[in-house]
């Protein structure tokens, strides 16, 4: 990124330690390659609900947290992202004023230009919409000049919901397809840093291929897109503001 190009920090709010990798690793890697800061906030380690293998091996809670922390840190390093863990617990992830306040402080300190988080509907995992609700509430509070937290009031960064595991059941209809072809190998390596959920590696590789086909279909002809285009799908929450329709 040149000195004349404004920085566009990317903030990803993830319910569990692996969610950001499956759903948004491409966006994170693209931001890092542009020279923008990318930060992941994991509200929990996914220690209770998404670490079945470790529980079956007889490992204890704190050991499992340590395993998941190490995996997520390694994945974030593959993508070039910072990572922070709030250790709020999962299954259930409780929505509390204290946790929202911690997120407000993250917003004020990091000053994101773009925010990625979960969808507001997911009948398979209540932690995901809980994380989204808190991410949105904290964004609004961080904008309020009278809210008691360090830093300046936040602007209005756009929010994008990343794709849930079973989109049809979550009312997920993507309106943004992000070309992650140049960084997909980094995403794959990051996924492979999460052996606790190895069954997800091929699923999200195949999903990226399918979304890549849809991207090409919507991009118009003769754009020179590679046959193996890979993509991630998002839904934009707030309206785009622009002077030019494109």
């Amino acid at each position: 990124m040149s000195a004349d190009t404004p920085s566009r920090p990317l903030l990803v709010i993830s319910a569990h330690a692996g969610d950001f990798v499956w759903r948004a690793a491409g966006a994170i890697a693209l931001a890092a390659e542009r020279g923008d800061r990318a930060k992941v906030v994991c509200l929990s380690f996914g220690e209770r609900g998404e670490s079945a293998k470790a529980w079956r091996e007889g490992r204890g809670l704190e050991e499992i947290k340590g395993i998941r922390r190490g995996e997520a840190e390694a994945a974030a390093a593959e993508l070039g992202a910072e990572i922070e863990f709030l250790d709020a617990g999962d299954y259930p992830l409780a929505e509390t004023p204290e946790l929202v306040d911690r997120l407000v402080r993250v917003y004020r300190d990091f000053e994101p230009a773009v925010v990625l988080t979960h969808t507001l509907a997911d009948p398979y995992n209540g932690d995901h919409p809980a994380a989204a609700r808190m991410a949105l509430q904290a964004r609004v509070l961080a904008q309020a000049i009278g809210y008691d937290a360090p830093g300046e009031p936040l602007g209005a960064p756009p929010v994008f919901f990343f794709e849930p595991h079973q989109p049809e059941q979550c009312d997920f209809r993507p309106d943004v397809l992000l070309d992650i072809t140049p960084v997909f190998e980094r995403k794959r390596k990051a996924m492979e840093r999460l052996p606790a959920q190895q069954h997800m590696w091929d699923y999200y590789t195949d999903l990226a291929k399918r979304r890549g086909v849809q991207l090409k279909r919507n991009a118009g002809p003769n754009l020179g897109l590679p046959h193996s285009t890979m993509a991630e799908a998002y839904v934009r929450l707030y309206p785009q503001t622009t002077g030019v329709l494109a």
Side-chain angles (χ1 to χ4, degrees), residues 46-47 50-61 63-65 67-68 71 195-197:
E47 63 270 17
E50 301 190 350
S51 304
K53 179 180 177 182
W55 285 106
R56 292 191 183 105
E57 291 171 348
R59 300 179 187 273
L61 179 61
E63 184 181 8
I64 292 171
K65 285 184 181 182
I67 292 169
R68 297 312 307 275
E71 290 180 358
Q197 295 174 280

Side-chain angles (χ1 to χ4, degrees), residues 30 32-33 36 53 64 76 93 97 101 110 123 126 130-131 141 146 153 160 167 175 182 184 190 197 202 221 224 236:
L30 285 171
E33 291 209 350
D36 293 329
K53 179 180 177 182
I64 292 171
L93 173 62
D101 181 70
F110 189 69
L141 295 177
F160 295 86
D175 52 23
F184 181 76
Q197 295 174 280
D202 289 342
R236 182 175 182 132

Side-chain angles (χ1 to χ4, degrees), residues 21 29-30 38-39 46 61 81 88 106 119 122 127 139 147 162-163 165 169 173 177 193 207 210 212 232 238-239:
V21 180
L30 285 171
K39 178 169 183 168
L61 179 61
V106 170
T119 54
D122 189 338
D127 289 359
R139 176 188 175 279
Y147 189 87
F162 42 61
E163 184 162 8
H165 189 61
Q169 305 302 317
R173 297 184 62 183
L177 294 169
R193 294 291 190 173
L207 179 60
R210 293 198 300 275
E232 289 174 343
Y238 299 107

Side-chain angles (χ1 to χ4, degrees), residues 28-112:
I28 294 167
L30 285 171
E33 291 209 350
R34 289 193 302 268
D36 293 329
R37 289 180 68 192
K39 178 169 183 168
V40 177
V41 176
C42 293
L43 301 184
S44 79
F45 296 107
E47 63 270 17
R48 295 187 184 277
E50 301 190 350
S51 304
K53 179 180 177 182
W55 285 106
R56 292 191 183 105
E57 291 171 348
R59 300 179 187 273
L61 179 61
E62 293 306 315
E63 184 181 8
I64 292 171
K65 285 184 181 182
I67 292 169
R68 297 312 307 275
R69 174 194 281 272
E71 290 180 358
E73 287 176 338
E78 289 283 1
L79 302 172
E82 308 164 32
I83 191 165
E84 180 178 352
F85 303 93
L86 300 191
D87 193 13
D90 70 326
Y91 280 66
L93 173 62
E95 297 176 61
T96 67
E98 293 77 17
L99 189 52
V100 171
D101 181 70
R102 293 175 72 183
L103 288 174
V104 171
R105 293 164 188 270
V106 170
Y107 276 114
R108 289 271 184 95
D109 176 68
F110 189 69
E111 297 182 325

